[in-house]
Amino acid sequence: MGRVIVVTSGKGGVGKTTTTANVGGALTTLGKKVLLVDMDVGLRNLDLVMGLENRVVYTFMDVLEGRCTAEQAMVKEKHAGGALMLLAASQLHNKQDLDLDKVKEAVAALSTEFDYVFLDSPAGIEHGFEASSAPAEQALIVVTPDVTSVRDADRVIGLLENKGVRNCSLIVNKYDRTLIERKKQLTSDDIVDVLGTELVGVVPEDKAILDATNRGDILVLSQSTPAAAAYLEIACRLEGDETNFSALSTGHSLLSLFWRQK
Ligand code: ADP
Ligand code: MG
């Protein structure tokens, strides 16, 4: 059975979809087979971030409602040699249409074919969040260094604990060292102190992310930049590598090494 991980936050626009695509992509560079499921029904984005929007025929909702098989609905990412697959969200339904039992059953069946299944949660704490977290054994909480994001993350961590998802890890995204130095952002230590949750990675603010998204490429599979190095570090940590290397130094050279070997 593969690991089922929900990527969530409470707040919108903090980087859940970007994180799902890049952490999933980074795991394929470590030899893992990964499925990404877009749970943002009605507002799908993951297909765009992966550059697969023109290849989507069926959606996860079609699988849940029996209109096709999961194999028919899954779309293969183009740079990962078949190791990275997407199940897109329906644009025509709304989040209330997700049947929790069917979602759990379908994800459990899919997890037998992959090392990792990531569920890209919508913003909010309503039904879409419920459906994304119901099948998960683990959560990656994406938070940006501002008080509103941290407060929402705190609420989400409490809700996940109530549901029995106790394995929560934090990703601090859009970290900007110049703002931290000017004391205009919370530090990752501040955030860990407030939330009392293990930190699994810090991803810097990186313009290359938007450029990659606009090209339809997953950053970590197309370029070696500081954010790409941070995603690779997160993937290593998920794989149990507890080495305390810095995302912006050793991680960066690790990624360069990976690109030289390709
Ligand atoms: P969410 O899924 O939480 O709504 P997205 O992943 O869609 O958030 O990201 C929201 C916006 O922030 C997108 O334009 C994305 O390109 C941008 N973004 C995400 N992470 C970073 C980062 N580390 N540096 C710069 N831009 C980022
Ligand atoms: Mg999103």
Side-chain angles (χ1 to χ4, degrees):
M1 293 286 271
R3 279 157 75 181
V4 179
I5 302 179
V6 59
V7 182
T8 189
S9 67
K11 195 171 153 98
V14 295
K16 292 177 291 298
T17 301
T18 309
T19 301
T20 304
N22 281 281
V23 173
L27 281 162
T28 68
T29 71
L30 304 177
K32 300 293 153 188
K33 208 172 163 218
V34 180
L35 171 65
L36 309 182
V37 186
D38 191 343
M39 297 296 288
D40 204 346
V41 175
L43 282 175
R44 80 181 193 205
N45 267 332
L46 189 53
D47 56 326
L48 274 177
V49 171
M50 297 174 77
L52 298 177
E53 66 277 15
N54 295 327
R55 309 249 315 276
V56 175
V57 178
Y58 292 111
T59 66
F60 188 39
M61 194 66 87
D62 292 319
V63 178
L64 296 175
E65 296 183 348
R67 283 184 287 278
C68 68
T69 63
E71 283 64 33
Q72 287 172 312
M74 282 190 277
V75 184
K76 198 183 284 180
E77 200 278 338
K78 44 203 184 294
H79 302 295
L84 184 61
M85 306 292 277
L86 164 72
L87 270 177
S90 166
Q91 286 283 52
L92 305 173
H93 292 78
N94 46 55
K95 294 170 179 62
Q96 291 302 332
D97 299 329
L98 286 164
D99 178 317
L100 260 59
D101 289 334
K102 284 190 183 165
V103 171
K104 278 202 266 188
E105 198 183 316
V107 171
L110 285 162
S111 71
T112 62
E113 295 168 41
F114 291 89
D115 297 307
Y116 286 86
V117 177
F118 287 92
L119 302 164
D120 178 20
S121 157
I125 51 172
E126 293 83 22
H127 192 74
F129 162 73
E130 295 271 340
S132 314
S133 44
E137 71 204 55
Q138 187 175 351
L140 291 180
I141 316 290
V142 183
V143 60
T144 51
D146 61 90
V147 285
T148 57
S149 170
V150 173
R151 179 187 278 177
D152 290 1
D154 192 31
R155 175 99 171 94
V156 158
I157 291 165
L159 291 170
L160 286 167
E161 272 175 7
N162 289 344
K163 289 176 200 302
V165 185
R166 294 207 169 76
N167 187 352
C168 290
S169 310
L170 275 186
I171 295 178
V172 179
N173 190 29
K174 306 195 187 187
Y175 208 62
D176 185 331
R177 286 186 195 282
T178 51
L179 289 181
I180 304 258
E181 274 155 25
R182 284 196 260 140
K183 304 215 181 308
K184 297 208 164 170
Q185 265 191 353
L186 299 172
T187 67
S188 54
D189 286 346
D190 293 336
I191 298 169
V192 170
D193 280 352
V194 172
L195 297 176
T197 304
E198 176 212 27
L199 182 70
V200 77
V202 177
V203 182
E205 173 85 31
D206 187 344
K207 194 180 145 307
I209 289 185
L210 194 57
D211 295 342
T213 299
N214 289 339
R215 283 196 314 273
D217 284 332
I218 297 177
L219 179 72
V220 79
L221 296 178
S222 60
Q223 262 176 286
S224 171
T225 75
Y231 291 122
L232 185 68
E233 178 178 347
I234 293 167
C236 291
R237 291 246 167 85
L238 288 175
E239 276 293 286
D241 181 351
E242 288 301 323
T243 326
N244 193 16
F245 54 77
S246 150
L248 303 180
S249 53
T250 327
H252 195 48
S253 48
L254 248 185
L255 197 71
S256 315
L257 192 68
F258 164 73
W259 281 107
R260 275 205 299 277
Q261 282 169 347
K262 269 195 102 173

